[in-house]
Amino acid sequence: MEPNSNIYDLASDFALHIVYLYKSLSNDKHEYVMSKQLLRSGTSVGANVFEAKNAFSRDDFAYKMSISLKEAGESGIWIDLLHRASFLTDEEYNSLYQEWNHVYAVLVKIVKSAKPQIFKIENPSNSNQQQ
């Protein structure tokens, strides 16, 4: 069976895992700062994906998905820092990282297909020739 690539389910599951992780980190390990940042960015991924479902246009959809991608990127940083600071075990980190990586990869594909010009880098020498 192919892994789930429905971004709405992936983002919702990811957000829920982040909520549970936040509760564990704050209650059991008394870590409040990084875990709160992860809670904000991780749940924002899901919130923006769900907002994109009701987008007014393709540009609005692409915009909301790109915000979700940005928040997913930030979540990855907090996950990494929590692991490096020994608040996440290797096992917890590997599991969460795999889930995060899947969400991130699906969002990249969606944003690339919805708004391909976001990922194009203009060659400065070409823009000078057009003037």
mmCIF file of all heavy atoms in Angstrom, residues 50-85:
data_model
loop_
_atom_site.group_PDB
_atom_site.id
_atom_site.type_symbol
_atom_site.label_atom_id
_atom_site.label_comp_id
_atom_site.label_asym_id
_atom_site.label_seq_id
_atom_site.Cartn_x
_atom_site.Cartn_y
_atom_site.Cartn_z
ATOM 1 N N PHE A 50 -6.114 23.526 5.716
ATOM 2 C CA PHE A 50 -7.569 23.504 5.731
ATOM 3 C C PHE A 50 -8.157 24.808 5.201
ATOM 4 O O PHE A 50 -9.202 24.803 4.554
ATOM 5 C CB PHE A 50 -8.091 23.162 7.123
ATOM 6 C CG PHE A 50 -8.094 21.687 7.372
ATOM 7 C CD1 PHE A 50 -6.958 21.054 7.851
ATOM 8 C CD2 PHE A 50 -9.198 20.907 7.072
ATOM 9 C CE1 PHE A 50 -6.928 19.683 8.052
ATOM 10 C CE2 PHE A 50 -9.185 19.532 7.263
ATOM 11 C CZ PHE A 50 -8.046 18.914 7.753
ATOM 12 N N GLU A 51 -7.510 25.928 5.434
ATOM 13 C CA GLU A 51 -7.957 27.186 4.836
ATOM 14 C C GLU A 51 -7.869 27.128 3.317
ATOM 15 O O GLU A 51 -8.705 27.677 2.615
ATOM 16 C CB GLU A 51 -7.124 28.360 5.359
ATOM 17 C CG GLU A 51 -7.550 28.849 6.714
ATOM 18 C CD GLU A 51 -6.823 30.127 7.096
ATOM 19 O OE1 GLU A 51 -6.570 30.972 6.224
ATOM 20 O OE2 GLU A 51 -6.521 30.272 8.284
ATOM 21 N N ALA A 52 -6.846 26.456 2.816
ATOM 22 C CA ALA A 52 -6.661 26.345 1.368
ATOM 23 C C ALA A 52 -7.813 25.586 0.713
ATOM 24 O O ALA A 52 -8.111 25.818 -0.462
ATOM 25 C CB ALA A 52 -5.328 25.670 1.054
ATOM 26 N N LYS A 53 -8.460 24.703 1.458
ATOM 27 C CA LYS A 53 -9.609 23.974 0.911
ATOM 28 C C LYS A 53 -10.701 24.931 0.443
ATOM 29 O O LYS A 53 -11.440 24.631 -0.482
ATOM 30 C CB LYS A 53 -10.208 23.031 1.957
ATOM 31 C CG LYS A 53 -9.436 21.764 2.185
ATOM 32 C CD LYS A 53 -10.061 20.942 3.277
ATOM 33 C CE LYS A 53 -11.060 19.952 2.716
ATOM 34 N NZ LYS A 53 -11.460 18.932 3.727
ATOM 35 N N ASN A 54 -10.815 26.066 1.093
ATOM 36 C CA ASN A 54 -11.849 27.044 0.780
ATOM 37 C C ASN A 54 -11.274 28.290 0.113
ATOM 38 O O ASN A 54 -11.827 29.376 0.245
ATOM 39 C CB ASN A 54 -12.610 27.437 2.055
ATOM 40 C CG ASN A 54 -13.316 26.256 2.664
ATOM 41 O OD1 ASN A 54 -13.987 25.497 1.972
ATOM 42 N ND2 ASN A 54 -13.143 26.058 3.963
ATOM 43 N N ALA A 55 -10.185 28.115 -0.583
ATOM 44 C CA ALA A 55 -9.534 29.259 -1.240
ATOM 45 C C ALA A 55 -10.466 29.872 -2.280
ATOM 46 O O ALA A 55 -11.281 29.190 -2.890
ATOM 47 C CB ALA A 55 -8.237 28.797 -1.894
ATOM 48 N N PHE A 56 -10.316 31.171 -2.479
ATOM 49 C CA PHE A 56 -11.141 31.904 -3.442
ATOM 50 C C PHE A 56 -10.650 31.746 -4.869
ATOM 51 O O PHE A 56 -11.400 31.948 -5.808
ATOM 52 C CB PHE A 56 -11.169 33.395 -3.082
ATOM 53 C CG PHE A 56 -11.804 33.660 -1.750
ATOM 54 C CD1 PHE A 56 -11.064 34.190 -0.705
ATOM 55 C CD2 PHE A 56 -13.141 33.360 -1.521
ATOM 56 C CE1 PHE A 56 -11.647 34.432 0.528
ATOM 57 C CE2 PHE A 56 -13.733 33.600 -0.294
ATOM 58 C CZ PHE A 56 -12.984 34.138 0.734
ATOM 59 N N SER A 57 -9.380 31.410 -5.021
ATOM 60 C CA SER A 57 -8.799 31.309 -6.360
ATOM 61 C C SER A 57 -7.584 30.394 -6.291
ATOM 62 O O SER A 57 -7.139 30.003 -5.201
ATOM 63 C CB SER A 57 -8.363 32.693 -6.852
ATOM 64 O OG SER A 57 -7.300 33.189 -6.039
ATOM 65 N N ARG A 58 -7.021 30.100 -7.455
ATOM 66 C CA ARG A 58 -5.802 29.289 -7.511
ATOM 67 C C ARG A 58 -4.654 30.018 -6.802
ATOM 68 O O ARG A 58 -3.860 29.393 -6.095
ATOM 69 C CB ARG A 58 -5.446 29.002 -8.969
ATOM 70 C CG ARG A 58 -4.266 28.076 -9.135
ATOM 71 C CD ARG A 58 -4.062 27.729 -10.620
ATOM 72 N NE ARG A 58 -2.935 26.890 -10.832
ATOM 73 C CZ ARG A 58 -2.948 25.560 -10.754
ATOM 74 N NH1 ARG A 58 -4.062 24.934 -10.484
ATOM 75 N NH2 ARG A 58 -1.852 24.860 -10.966
ATOM 76 N N ASP A 59 -4.570 31.334 -6.987
ATOM 77 C CA ASP A 59 -3.524 32.112 -6.317
ATOM 78 C C ASP A 59 -3.698 32.071 -4.797
ATOM 79 O O ASP A 59 -2.720 31.957 -4.055
ATOM 80 C CB ASP A 59 -3.517 33.563 -6.794
ATOM 81 C CG ASP A 59 -2.901 33.730 -8.157
ATOM 82 O OD1 ASP A 59 -2.214 32.803 -8.635
ATOM 83 O OD2 ASP A 59 -3.106 34.800 -8.761
ATOM 84 N N ASP A 60 -4.935 32.168 -4.329
ATOM 85 C CA ASP A 60 -5.214 32.105 -2.896
ATOM 86 C C ASP A 60 -4.840 30.719 -2.355
ATOM 87 O O ASP A 60 -4.233 30.605 -1.287
ATOM 88 C CB ASP A 60 -6.693 32.401 -2.640
ATOM 89 C CG ASP A 60 -7.034 32.557 -1.168
ATOM 90 O OD1 ASP A 60 -6.188 33.077 -0.403
ATOM 91 O OD2 ASP A 60 -8.159 32.179 -0.781
ATOM 92 N N PHE A 61 -5.187 29.667 -3.105
ATOM 93 C CA PHE A 61 -4.824 28.305 -2.729
ATOM 94 C C PHE A 61 -3.306 28.173 -2.631
ATOM 95 O O PHE A 61 -2.780 27.671 -1.642
ATOM 96 C CB PHE A 61 -5.380 27.314 -3.764
ATOM 97 C CG PHE A 61 -4.939 25.898 -3.534
ATOM 98 C CD1 PHE A 61 -5.620 25.088 -2.642
ATOM 99 C CD2 PHE A 61 -3.860 25.373 -4.230
ATOM 100 C CE1 PHE A 61 -5.217 23.771 -2.433
ATOM 101 C CE2 PHE A 61 -3.444 24.061 -4.026
ATOM 102 C CZ PHE A 61 -4.129 23.263 -3.125
ATOM 103 N N ALA A 62 -2.601 28.647 -3.657
ATOM 104 C CA ALA A 62 -1.140 28.558 -3.676
ATOM 105 C C ALA A 62 -0.533 29.340 -2.515
ATOM 106 O O ALA A 62 0.425 28.880 -1.881
ATOM 107 C CB ALA A 62 -0.594 29.069 -5.007
ATOM 108 N N TYR A 63 -1.099 30.500 -2.221
ATOM 109 C CA TYR A 63 -0.606 31.334 -1.129
ATOM 110 C C TYR A 63 -0.751 30.611 0.216
ATOM 111 O O TYR A 63 0.200 30.533 1.000
ATOM 112 C CB TYR A 63 -1.355 32.664 -1.107
ATOM 113 C CG TYR A 63 -0.991 33.542 0.061
ATOM 114 C CD1 TYR A 63 0.254 34.156 0.124
ATOM 115 C CD2 TYR A 63 -1.883 33.742 1.103
ATOM 116 C CE1 TYR A 63 0.604 34.956 1.204
ATOM 117 C CE2 TYR A 63 -1.546 34.532 2.179
ATOM 118 C CZ TYR A 63 -0.302 35.140 2.225
ATOM 119 O OH TYR A 63 0.032 35.919 3.303
ATOM 120 N N LYS A 64 -1.925 30.055 0.462
ATOM 121 C CA LYS A 64 -2.158 29.372 1.736
ATOM 122 C C LYS A 64 -1.293 28.120 1.856
ATOM 123 O O LYS A 64 -0.775 27.810 2.929
ATOM 124 C CB LYS A 64 -3.641 29.051 1.892
ATOM 125 C CG LYS A 64 -4.462 30.288 2.207
ATOM 126 C CD LYS A 64 -5.924 29.969 2.330
ATOM 127 C CE LYS A 64 -6.741 31.130 2.842
ATOM 128 N NZ LYS A 64 -6.787 32.296 2.026
ATOM 129 N N MET A 65 -1.131 27.405 0.768
ATOM 130 C CA MET A 65 -0.273 26.224 0.801
ATOM 131 C C MET A 65 1.191 26.624 0.997
ATOM 132 O O MET A 65 1.942 25.918 1.672
ATOM 133 C CB MET A 65 -0.433 25.387 -0.466
ATOM 134 C CG MET A 65 -1.713 24.602 -0.501
ATOM 135 S SD MET A 65 -1.774 23.384 0.846
ATOM 136 C CE MET A 65 -3.177 22.425 0.332
ATOM 137 N N SER A 66 1.601 27.755 0.422
ATOM 138 C CA SER A 66 2.986 28.187 0.611
ATOM 139 C C SER A 66 3.226 28.630 2.055
ATOM 140 O O SER A 66 4.308 28.415 2.597
ATOM 141 C CB SER A 66 3.373 29.285 -0.382
ATOM 142 O OG SER A 66 2.620 30.450 -0.188
ATOM 143 N N ILE A 67 2.219 29.201 2.697
ATOM 144 C CA ILE A 67 2.338 29.530 4.123
ATOM 145 C C ILE A 67 2.460 28.233 4.928
ATOM 146 O O ILE A 67 3.279 28.128 5.849
ATOM 147 C CB ILE A 67 1.143 30.365 4.623
ATOM 148 C CG1 ILE A 67 1.204 31.762 4.028
ATOM 149 C CG2 ILE A 67 1.114 30.428 6.154
ATOM 150 C CD1 ILE A 67 -0.011 32.610 4.332
ATOM 151 N N SER A 68 1.658 27.250 4.561
ATOM 152 C CA SER A 68 1.731 25.952 5.231
ATOM 153 C C SER A 68 3.118 25.340 5.070
ATOM 154 O O SER A 68 3.680 24.793 6.025
ATOM 155 C CB SER A 68 0.659 25.029 4.658
ATOM 156 O OG SER A 68 0.394 23.977 5.510
ATOM 157 N N LEU A 69 3.685 25.453 3.875
ATOM 158 C CA LEU A 69 5.037 24.956 3.623
ATOM 159 C C LEU A 69 6.061 25.691 4.490
ATOM 160 O O LEU A 69 6.950 25.081 5.078
ATOM 161 C CB LEU A 69 5.379 25.097 2.139
ATOM 162 C CG LEU A 69 6.780 24.689 1.705
ATOM 163 C CD1 LEU A 69 7.042 23.221 2.004
ATOM 164 C CD2 LEU A 69 6.964 24.984 0.223
ATOM 165 N N LYS A 70 5.918 26.989 4.594
ATOM 166 C CA LYS A 70 6.821 27.787 5.433
ATOM 167 C C LYS A 70 6.729 27.356 6.897
ATOM 168 O O LYS A 70 7.734 27.177 7.576
ATOM 169 C CB LYS A 70 6.475 29.278 5.298
ATOM 170 C CG LYS A 70 7.331 30.200 6.148
ATOM 171 C CD LYS A 70 6.852 31.624 6.080
ATOM 172 C CE LYS A 70 5.776 31.964 7.058
ATOM 173 N NZ LYS A 70 6.034 31.824 8.470
ATOM 174 N N GLU A 71 5.513 27.163 7.373
ATOM 175 C CA GLU A 71 5.314 26.726 8.759
ATOM 176 C C GLU A 71 5.859 25.315 8.970
ATOM 177 O O GLU A 71 6.405 25.010 10.027
ATOM 178 C CB GLU A 71 3.834 26.794 9.130
ATOM 179 C CG GLU A 71 3.264 28.199 9.165
ATOM 180 C CD GLU A 71 3.832 29.079 10.264
ATOM 181 O OE1 GLU A 71 4.307 28.543 11.285
ATOM 182 O OE2 GLU A 71 3.782 30.308 10.117
ATOM 183 N N ALA A 72 5.728 24.468 7.965
ATOM 184 C CA ALA A 72 6.292 23.113 8.057
ATOM 185 C C ALA A 72 7.811 23.191 8.159
ATOM 186 O O ALA A 72 8.424 22.457 8.943
ATOM 187 C CB ALA A 72 5.869 22.274 6.858
ATOM 188 N N GLY A 73 8.411 24.076 7.374
ATOM 189 C CA GLY A 73 9.853 24.262 7.459
ATOM 190 C C GLY A 73 10.290 24.688 8.847
ATOM 191 O O GLY A 73 11.269 24.158 9.392
ATOM 192 N N GLU A 74 9.548 25.615 9.429
ATOM 193 C CA GLU A 74 9.866 26.058 10.792
ATOM 194 C C GLU A 74 9.699 24.911 11.788
ATOM 195 O O GLU A 74 10.530 24.733 12.687
ATOM 196 C CB GLU A 74 8.969 27.226 11.202
ATOM 197 C CG GLU A 74 9.270 27.728 12.600
ATOM 198 C CD GLU A 74 8.389 28.872 13.051
ATOM 199 O OE1 GLU A 74 7.856 29.617 12.204
ATOM 200 O OE2 GLU A 74 8.249 29.013 14.286
ATOM 201 N N SER A 75 8.675 24.114 11.594
ATOM 202 C CA SER A 75 8.455 22.968 12.489
ATOM 203 C C SER A 75 9.648 22.018 12.461
ATOM 204 O O SER A 75 10.052 21.490 13.501
ATOM 205 C CB SER A 75 7.187 22.205 12.074
ATOM 206 O OG SER A 75 6.046 23.010 12.218
ATOM 207 N N GLY A 76 10.204 21.818 11.285
ATOM 208 C CA GLY A 76 11.373 20.950 11.164
ATOM 209 C C GLY A 76 12.548 21.436 11.987
ATOM 210 O O GLY A 76 13.277 20.637 12.587
ATOM 211 N N ILE A 77 12.721 22.741 12.039
ATOM 212 C CA ILE A 77 13.808 23.318 12.840
ATOM 213 C C ILE A 77 13.580 23.035 14.318
ATOM 214 O O ILE A 77 14.503 22.628 15.044
ATOM 215 C CB ILE A 77 13.924 24.834 12.588
ATOM 216 C CG1 ILE A 77 14.388 25.085 11.160
ATOM 217 C CG2 ILE A 77 14.841 25.497 13.612
ATOM 218 C CD1 ILE A 77 14.236 26.523 10.696
ATOM 219 N N TRP A 78 12.348 23.227 14.798
ATOM 220 C CA TRP A 78 12.059 23.000 16.214
ATOM 221 C C TRP A 78 12.191 21.526 16.578
ATOM 222 O O TRP A 78 12.694 21.189 17.653
ATOM 223 C CB TRP A 78 10.679 23.537 16.590
ATOM 224 C CG TRP A 78 10.598 25.021 16.458
ATOM 225 C CD1 TRP A 78 9.747 25.726 15.646
ATOM 226 C CD2 TRP A 78 11.411 25.987 17.123
ATOM 227 N NE1 TRP A 78 9.987 27.074 15.781
ATOM 228 C CE2 TRP A 78 11.003 27.264 16.682
ATOM 229 C CE3 TRP A 78 12.451 25.906 18.049
ATOM 230 C CZ2 TRP A 78 11.591 28.436 17.136
ATOM 231 C CZ3 TRP A 78 13.044 27.087 18.494
ATOM 232 C CH2 TRP A 78 12.608 28.327 18.046
ATOM 233 N N ILE A 79 11.759 20.648 15.682
ATOM 234 C CA ILE A 79 11.911 19.207 15.923
ATOM 235 C C ILE A 79 13.392 18.856 16.063
ATOM 236 O O ILE A 79 13.803 18.141 16.980
ATOM 237 C CB ILE A 79 11.246 18.391 14.792
ATOM 238 C CG1 ILE A 79 9.722 18.556 14.854
ATOM 239 C CG2 ILE A 79 11.647 16.924 14.857
ATOM 240 C CD1 ILE A 79 8.987 18.071 13.614
ATOM 241 N N ASP A 80 14.197 19.389 15.158
ATOM 242 C CA ASP A 80 15.640 19.132 15.201
ATOM 243 C C ASP A 80 16.262 19.677 16.487
ATOM 244 O O ASP A 80 17.045 18.987 17.144
ATOM 245 C CB ASP A 80 16.312 19.758 13.974
ATOM 246 C CG ASP A 80 17.787 19.429 13.899
ATOM 247 O OD1 ASP A 80 18.118 18.225 13.850
ATOM 248 O OD2 ASP A 80 18.609 20.370 13.898
ATOM 249 N N LEU A 81 15.918 20.883 16.865
ATOM 250 C CA LEU A 81 16.482 21.475 18.086
ATOM 251 C C LEU A 81 16.062 20.717 19.337
ATOM 252 O O LEU A 81 16.870 20.523 20.257
ATOM 253 C CB LEU A 81 16.076 22.944 18.204
ATOM 254 C CG LEU A 81 16.801 23.910 17.278
ATOM 255 C CD1 LEU A 81 16.181 25.301 17.359
ATOM 256 C CD2 LEU A 81 18.287 23.971 17.615
ATOM 257 N N LEU A 82 14.802 20.293 19.388
ATOM 258 C CA LEU A 82 14.342 19.527 20.544
ATOM 259 C C LEU A 82 15.117 18.214 20.666
ATOM 260 O O LEU A 82 15.453 17.785 21.776
ATOM 261 C CB LEU A 82 12.837 19.255 20.445
ATOM 262 C CG LEU A 82 11.956 20.454 20.780
ATOM 263 C CD1 LEU A 82 10.528 20.239 20.261
ATOM 264 C CD2 LEU A 82 11.949 20.714 22.283
ATOM 265 N N HIS A 83 15.431 17.607 19.546
ATOM 266 C CA HIS A 83 16.224 16.372 19.570
ATOM 267 C C HIS A 83 17.656 16.660 19.998
ATOM 268 O O HIS A 83 18.208 15.980 20.868
ATOM 269 C CB HIS A 83 16.186 15.704 18.196
ATOM 270 C CG HIS A 83 17.006 14.465 18.128
ATOM 271 N ND1 HIS A 83 18.131 14.383 17.335
ATOM 272 C CD2 HIS A 83 16.891 13.271 18.756
ATOM 273 C CE1 HIS A 83 18.655 13.179 17.478
ATOM 274 N NE2 HIS A 83 17.929 12.483 18.328
ATOM 275 N N ARG A 84 18.250 17.671 19.400
ATOM 276 C CA ARG A 84 19.646 17.998 19.708
ATOM 277 C C ARG A 84 19.816 18.448 21.155
ATOM 278 O O ARG A 84 20.892 18.280 21.740
ATOM 279 C CB ARG A 84 20.153 19.053 18.737
ATOM 280 C CG ARG A 84 20.286 18.475 17.321
ATOM 281 C CD ARG A 84 20.591 19.490 16.271
ATOM 282 N NE ARG A 84 21.854 20.166 16.555
ATOM 283 C CZ ARG A 84 22.215 21.303 15.983
ATOM 284 N NH1 ARG A 84 21.445 21.888 15.103
ATOM 285 N NH2 ARG A 84 23.367 21.851 16.284
ATOM 286 N N ALA A 85 18.762 19.002 21.738
ATOM 287 C CA ALA A 85 18.811 19.427 23.139
ATOM 288 C C ALA A 85 18.383 18.296 24.082
ATOM 289 O O ALA A 85 18.198 18.517 25.278
ATOM 290 C CB ALA A 85 17.910 20.645 23.349
#
